[in-house]
Amino acid sequence: MSGTDKSKNHHWWPVGLQSYWTDKVGDVSWIEPSGKKGRKRAANRQIGFKIHGHTLFKGTSWEHRFEREFDIDNEIHDIVIALRKLKPLGYSLIDYVQLVKLKLKKATDWRDYCKYYDLDEKIHRDLLLLIYSLLIRSPANRSRFASYPEMLGLPPNEEIGKINMSQRYNIAKKLCKTGSTTNQYVVLLRSPIKKFIFGDGSLDWLTGGLVANRISGRALISLTPYLCVYLCTPMAMRSSPNCASLFAPPWMVDWVNEITQIYSQDKLFFLGEPPTLTEAFRAAKFLEHKKRTDALIEMLDKVAGIETRRRLFGFDAVRHV
């Protein structure tokens, strides 16, 4: 979050999160659809921002800044530290032996590979609000909000987009702070070697439900190169546990990164080696699944205790852009 309300550089990617993506010299790297790469010093606060991105103008005499509403940015390090403590199987000798035994089985149930936790309520609410904040102020949603006038045959309007963004976030903030936290399940994907990427868009099947003032849907978003969060809202679930932590194998990290490329348009941020660009990202458009289904999402849903009809009837999910 900006240190002063008078700043015109409003970050859609919080500086606190950017710090986890810096290399040894303090640079954050990205790649564009053309394959062009770039990097900047994170400390200069010139990454993942939009000038007056959170300022509403009316003529020349009135304006309203809502940058300070994203004060959840101040909790980022506490959130990441808390999530890191929720370790997956494999950190102790007993866990390692259990994993070895599981690998000898023919059938694979990812629930067996998870370690389960109850999220502290404050961390739960803060994580939920952070996810909403990242999704709502992302360039992908900003573009979507600004295009609403097109439904009436009018051109896109950035100011209308910012009004929509502000309204959605205020609804989300109220729900996250005072609403119920039941029927919300978090799956933490940890990858100590293969790295996740972050884009200017993420899988967001969550913020659309805010029009009904409720928390419902799914979201998949990378917080650090080694930590990705999946949030879903089962129709019914036990009150405990509400969080699963697992080691994501390299193929799963690649799959998550492919999904991130679908929803991103201009930039993919990475640490280390740049990702191999997919056809979806090279299109340089904010794309999405034709249907809200994906075999990886169904796999993570199963960890959360959700069984889809598609799986029950033996059909495979197909990914589309």
Side-chain angles (χ1 to χ4, degrees), residues 66 136 162-172 210:
F66 57 97
I136 290 173
K162 287 189 283 188
I163 291 173
N164 284 316
M165 179 170 56
S166 177
Q167 290 176 339
R168 292 288 181 96
Y169 184 67
N170 284 332
I171 294 172
L210 289 172

Side-chain angles (χ1 to χ4, degrees), residues 25 48 53 64 71 144 153 156 176 178 185 205 211 235 264 267-268 284 309 319:
V25 298
H64 168 65
D71 52 352
R144 187 175 296 110
C176 292
T178 63
Y185 204 98
W205 301 343
V211 294
M235 292 293 292
S264 301
K267 290 182 179 178
L268 299 172
R309 290 183 179 180
R319 284 176 290 162

Side-chain angles (χ1 to χ4, degrees), residues 243-261:
C243 176
S245 181
L246 66 89
F247 276 124
W251 62 262
M252 186 179 289
V253 177
D254 287 338
W255 200 336
V256 170
N257 290 346
E258 287 178 12
I259 291 176
T260 299
Q261 293 200 45

Side-chain angles (χ1 to χ4, degrees), residues 19-290:
S19 65
Y20 295 98
W21 297 78
T22 58
D23 58 22
K24 293 181 180 179
V25 298
D27 288 343
V28 172
S29 300
W30 67 82
I31 188 169
E32 300 174 6
S34 64
K36 179 182 177 181
K37 303 180 187 67
R39 63 171 57 188
K40 278 187 179 181
R41 193 60 49 91
N44 293 337
R45 304 173 64 90
Q46 298 294 310
I47 308 170
F49 74 96
K50 182 175 177 60
I51 296 177
H52 286 303
H54 305 143
T55 304
L56 294 171
F57 295 101
K58 185 176 182 180
T60 58
S61 59
W62 179 90
E63 64 181 37
H64 168 65
R65 295 183 179 90
F66 57 97
E67 167 76 347
R68 63 172 54 186
E69 290 295 321
F70 296 102
D71 52 352
I72 188 61
D73 290 1
N74 299 325
E75 308 297 326
I76 284 173
H77 297 304
D78 287 342
I79 294 171
V80 172
I81 289 172
L83 296 183
R84 282 176 170 174
K85 291 180 180 178
L86 306 179
K87 302 181 184 299
L89 287 176
Y91 272 91
S92 68
L93 180 59
I94 295 177
D95 288 348
Y96 181 76
V97 172
Q98 183 176 346
L99 285 175
V100 171
K101 290 181 179 179
L102 286 170
K103 289 182 178 179
L104 297 177
K105 293 183 178 180
K106 291 184 178 180
T108 298
D109 187 336
W110 280 100
R111 287 173 289 195
D112 294 335
Y113 288 88
C114 297
K115 202 163 186 177
Y116 296 91
Y117 298 92
D118 289 314
L119 287 175
D120 172 82
E121 183 176 350
K122 183 180 186 308
I123 294 299
H124 185 158
R125 293 184 183 276
D126 285 350
L127 173 61
L128 184 63
L129 183 56
L130 177 61
I131 290 173
Y132 267 121
S133 78
L134 293 172
L135 296 175
I136 290 173
R137 57 179 152 165
S138 70
N141 263 325
R142 188 185 302 271
S143 173
R144 187 175 296 110
F145 295 149
S147 67
Y148 282 178
E150 293 181 340
M151 300 177 185
L152 303 175
L154 301 173
N157 187 299
E158 186 174 333
E159 292 304 302
I160 291 178
K162 287 189 283 188
I163 291 173
N164 284 316
M165 179 170 56
S166 177
Q167 290 176 339
R168 292 288 181 96
Y169 184 67
N170 284 332
I171 294 172
K173 196 169 188 179
K174 181 179 179 180
L175 287 172
C176 292
K177 288 191 171 184
T178 63
S180 172
T181 58
T182 59
N183 289 41
Q184 296 169 22
Y185 204 98
V186 173
V187 181
L188 304 177
L189 305 181
R190 302 283 295 273
S191 178
I193 302 176
K194 188 84 175 184
K195 299 180 183 67
F196 296 105
I197 61 175
F198 179 77
D200 52 5
S202 301
L203 185 147
D204 176 13
W205 301 343
L206 185 69
T207 59
L210 289 172
V211 294
N213 282 19
R214 60 191 176 91
I215 294 175
S216 178
R218 295 166 170 80
L220 180 71
I221 190 166
S222 302
L223 296 186
T224 80
Y226 308 101
L227 173 64
C228 180
V229 177
Y230 176 66
L231 171 72
C232 62
T233 55
M235 292 293 292
M237 59 175 275
R238 295 179 179 177
S239 59
S240 175
N242 60 3
C243 176
S245 181
L246 66 89
F247 276 124
W251 62 262
M252 186 179 289
V253 177
D254 287 338
W255 200 336
V256 170
N257 290 346
E258 287 178 12
I259 291 176
T260 299
Q261 293 200 45
I262 291 172
Y263 287 83
S264 301
Q265 173 180 274
D266 295 317
K267 290 182 179 178
L268 299 172
F269 299 92
F270 62 91
L271 177 63
E273 293 297 318
T276 300
L277 301 187
T278 64
E279 182 180 347
F281 181 64
R282 289 188 182 278
K285 296 179 180 179
F286 290 123
L287 303 175
E288 58 186 17
H289 288 72
K290 288 182 178 180

